[in-house]
Amino acid sequence: MAVKTIDELCNVLLDKRAKAAAGGGEKAVAKHKAKGSLTARERIDLLMDEGSFVELDEFVEHRCTNFGMENKKYLGDGVVTGYGTVGGRIVYVFSQDFTVLGGSLGQMHAAKICKVMDLALRNGCPIVGINDSGGARIQEAVDALDGYGGIFYRNTISSGIIPQMSVIVGPTAGGAVYSPALTDYIFMVDKISIMHITGPAVIKTVTGEEISSEELGGAKTHNSRSGNAHFFAASEQECFQQVRDVLSYLPSNNMGDAPRVATSDPVSRAEMALRTMVPTDSNKGYDVHSVIKAVVDDGKFVEVQAMWAKNIVIGYASFDGLPVGIVANQASVMAGCLDIDCSDKASRFIRHCDAFNLPIVTFVDVPGYLPGKAQEWGGIIRHGAKMLYAYSEATVPLITVVMRKAYGGAYIGMCSKALGADSVLAWPQSQIAVMGAAGAANIIFRKEIEAAKDPQAERAELISEYEDAFATPYQAASRGYVDKVILPEETRYEVIQALKAHRTKRQALPRKKHGVMPN
Ligand code: HXC
């Protein structure tokens, strides 16, 4: 056999590379693009810094011989894997290629994903999974299921060590949805992403319900109804920018700190508008986004789960360049009451921030837990307990700003001193009490009101008496539950001072395997 020249050998490699890059071939790619979807590689390009992507395992092939599969081989086996940089930091990625066997997951496809997951964990780098797949490769049967199991296992082991992001840009069905569900965040794109355990056809057979795929498991549904998704985008371009934005607030792993955010916003910027932003009449609503934006650096707030459980607002921002997690009651939705969904939403975010060393700034204006049979029967006790649990076990700096109401159990649940708040700041209009003045007066002065000549006037008088005595920040401040009563416009400056003071906080919890969180 003639010895090949180096050029001939290099051409073999270049030919293989071109074949791998072609995915499922021209026809399949054209069909895919006709749906309005991007290819697996175009998606990676949107995610990564330009030209930084390094592909691994591009020549991996499946080994299946069932149902004529030996004649259906594609280099790369339907998933593009590797690493690159996002904002200059290494991030691992896998991107399923729907043009190859519907992006279905077989043994080698899964092995490629597991390899980058292992590398990401070992090197302490975030991983982004781009999901576009028909699910378990049917021809590979139990090997495909075992592949999923390996991914779920790695998702769980990596949780809280490296940030894991799941982008859904196609179908994700059956047990395949559980890998995204085990990661930090799920990003979905309108009219492109679908997630469900059982699809419309199965549902129709089993329950008789008729529903479209989009309504059942589209981006809007999971962002606004189920709470499974965390970010909604109108396009894939917007979606990958969201992933980049979120990663910019996170450290590469749990052993490091997030990079500082560039800002020239003055530390002592006093926003006088804060005096009127939150009405002193505690029955009046307002949008807490305006408060957050008025105090954080450059008004920049990256909200998480903006469309679900809107009575609490969570997300990322920075103070003097230091990235933080924000948790805030939203008085304009259900008066900011804590309910089942918002407790789930906030407690998971608190744990996420704690895992990744992000200080948490909590803005409080909460009248209590939402009353009602649906809430009680739905388990508000165990769901609400998650807030207590998450704040209590958090060891990152915890700064609490009481803006107005902080009543009863919800006062405790929104990161009170007793749960571990390092600094509690309160505005002059704060009302830190067991309950609102009207409710309190009705209970403790019932006899006096009933016996009065003019019960209405007596009631008003007693409410006002109660308000003067208890519905202020000063009783809590006199006991040290509030560290400092501040003017609203001093909030930015005071939060930054508190964050600086607690940056070196080191708190170790008693050693244990892990706690048993309420579910
Ligand atoms: C093998 C698959 C496949 C699969 C799609 N394909 N899904 N091959 N295993 N799971 C192939 C198709 O045969 C087709 O091949 C190509 O991918 C494109 O699929 P189309 O059906 O033409 O595309 P489209 O019309 O866009 O429909 C996409 C789809 C549909 C909705 C995803 O393909 C579908 O319903 N697939 C089956 C989904 C499913 O039931 N998966 C198993 C879920 S259970 P050709 O050669 O014709 O181009 C599961 C268990 C996981 O995943 C458990 C984890 C614990």
Side-chain angles (χ1 to χ4, degrees):
M1 198 171 77
V3 175
K4 290 200 168 109
T5 66
I6 183 65
D7 284 346
E8 283 170 330
L9 292 167
C10 287
N11 284 339
V12 172
L13 172 60
L14 291 173
D15 194 41
K16 274 174 100 68
R17 279 190 185 166
K19 268 203 186 111
E26 251 174 59
K27 225 169 115 188
V29 171
K31 186 178 164 199
H32 182 69
K33 298 210 95 171
K35 291 190 293 188
S37 298
L38 298 175
T39 66
R41 284 184 172 75
E42 285 170 344
R43 288 165 175 162
I44 291 176
D45 288 345
L46 281 177
L47 170 71
M48 298 289 183
D49 296 339
E50 202 179 337
S52 69
F53 179 59
V54 177
E55 187 168 345
L56 302 173
D57 287 340
E58 57 187 317
F59 303 145
V60 162
E61 293 178 332
H62 72 72
R63 303 186 246 191
C64 179
T65 51
N66 302 328
F67 308 108
M69 281 292 279
E70 61 275 21
N71 303 317
K72 283 190 180 175
K73 290 205 171 191
Y74 297 86
L75 293 178
D77 202 31
V79 61
V80 182
T81 61
Y83 59 89
T85 59
V86 173
R89 292 182 296 157
I90 293 286
V91 169
Y92 285 81
V93 67
F94 66 86
S95 179
Q96 293 181 308
D97 184 350
F98 193 84
T99 69
V100 174
L101 303 167
S104 58
L105 183 141
Q107 184 190 34
M108 296 311 293
H109 180 120
K112 282 183 68 172
I113 293 176
C114 289
K115 188 194 267 189
V116 279
M117 291 180 81
D118 289 341
L119 286 169
L121 180 61
R122 205 179 304 149
N123 295 326
C125 301
I127 184 157
V128 178
I130 305 174
N131 297 265
D132 186 0
S133 166
R137 187 172 296 157
I138 293 159
Q139 299 90 330
E140 294 203 34
V142 73
D143 281 337
L145 298 183
D146 185 69
Y148 272 119
I151 295 170
F152 301 163
Y153 176 81
R154 284 167 177 78
N155 284 137
T156 307
I157 298 304
S158 302
S159 177
I161 298 179
I162 52 171
Q164 303 180 79
M165 307 286 144
S166 295
V167 180
I168 314 294
V169 273
T172 309
V177 296
Y178 284 116
S179 169
L182 289 164
T183 62
D184 290 278
Y185 292 131
I186 294 178
F187 297 74
M188 295 183 83
V189 182
D190 197 22
K191 310 270 168 32
I192 284 188
S193 318
I194 298 288
M195 286 176 84
H196 48 64
I197 298 276
T198 48
V202 175
I203 290 181
K204 191 174 174 197
T205 315
V206 177
T207 70
E209 293 164 302
E210 285 194 43
I211 188 162
S212 70
S213 216
E214 180 65 28
E215 203 187 342
L216 179 69
K220 274 204 185 97
T221 297
H222 285 309
N223 272 278
S224 63
R225 200 180 271 271
S226 70
N228 286 327
H230 304 86
F231 294 91
F232 174 89
S235 67
E236 294 201 37
Q237 283 76 4
E238 186 188 343
C239 176
F240 286 103
Q241 188 54 50
Q242 288 172 340
V243 180
R244 290 177 60 91
D245 282 349
V246 170
L247 286 173
S248 75
Y249 285 96
L250 293 170
S252 292
N253 58 65
N254 66 330
M255 304 295 279
D257 288 325
R260 291 188 76 83
V261 177
T263 181
S264 52
D265 200 348
V267 169
S268 53
R269 178 170 54 78
E271 202 63 64
M272 291 310 289
L274 285 166
R275 284 206 179 190
T276 48
M277 229 173 247
V278 178
T280 49
D281 178 349
S282 63
N283 294 319
K284 284 202 172 136
Y286 60 93
D287 185 358
V288 79
H289 291 98
S290 52
V291 175
I292 296 168
K293 288 180 181 168
V295 295
V296 301
D297 291 343
D298 307 301
K300 189 165 179 223
F301 177 54
V302 174
E303 189 168 356
V304 179
Q305 287 184 307
M307 298 161 71
W308 182 67
K310 293 188 202 169
N311 40 333
I312 214 155
V313 172
I314 56 172
Y316 302 98
S318 66
F319 279 98
D320 194 27
L322 184 73
V324 299
I326 304 259
V327 178
N329 302 119
Q330 173 59 291
S332 65
V333 179
M334 295 194 281
C337 272
L338 299 183
D339 69 347
I340 290 171
D341 285 348
C342 94
S343 301
D344 283 0
K345 172 176 164 178
S347 56
R348 188 171 188 274
F349 183 68
I350 293 160
R351 299 190 97 207
H352 164 88
C353 292
D354 187 45
F356 293 113
N357 309 320
L358 283 184
I360 301 166
V361 182
T362 304
F363 291 91
V364 185
D365 184 4
V366 65
Y369 289 91
L370 186 68
K373 197 167 71 177
Q375 288 290 309
E376 296 294 342
W377 288 4
I380 181 69
I381 294 173
R382 62 191 162 85
H383 289 280
K386 290 179 204 175
M387 299 274 294
L388 306 174
Y389 195 102
Y391 274 126
S392 297
E393 71 165 1
T395 57
V396 290
L398 300 171
I399 317 296
T400 302
V401 181
V402 182
M403 301 180 296
R404 201 168 60 171
K405 286 172 282 199
Y407 294 158
Y411 149 72
I412 306 169
M414 288 303 292
C415 201
S416 65
K417 199 75 181 166
L419 294 196
D422 297 293
S423 287
V424 180
L425 310 169
W427 289 3
Q429 66 264 51
S430 301
Q431 302 174 7
I432 304 175
V434 173
M435 60 175 70
N442 281 342
I443 296 169
I444 59 177
F445 302 127
R446 186 169 57 88
K447 285 187 189 128
E448 288 89 327
I449 294 170
E450 278 170 7
K453 266 198 197 138
D454 181 349
Q456 285 287 51
E458 180 69 8
R459 187 169 172 271
E461 171 77 31
L462 289 166
I463 287 174
S464 149
E465 220 171 272
Y466 181 92
E467 264 172 0
D468 290 346
F470 300 113
T472 75
Y474 299 109
Q475 208 196 35
S478 74
R479 286 158 168 75
Y481 304 140
V482 164
D483 295 291
K484 201 163 179 188
V485 182
I486 60 170
L487 302 171
E489 66 269 23
E490 292 170 342
T491 304
R492 174 175 165 78
Y493 178 80
E494 291 292 345
V495 168
I496 291 172
Q497 299 317 305
L499 286 167
K500 275 187 189 153
H502 301 302
R503 267 201 87 176
T504 46
K505 177 179 176 185
R506 290 286 176 270
Q507 185 188 359
L509 300 176
R511 281 177 70 87
K512 58 182 163 183
K513 197 169 167 194
H514 54 70
V516 184
M517 201 173 109
N519 65 357

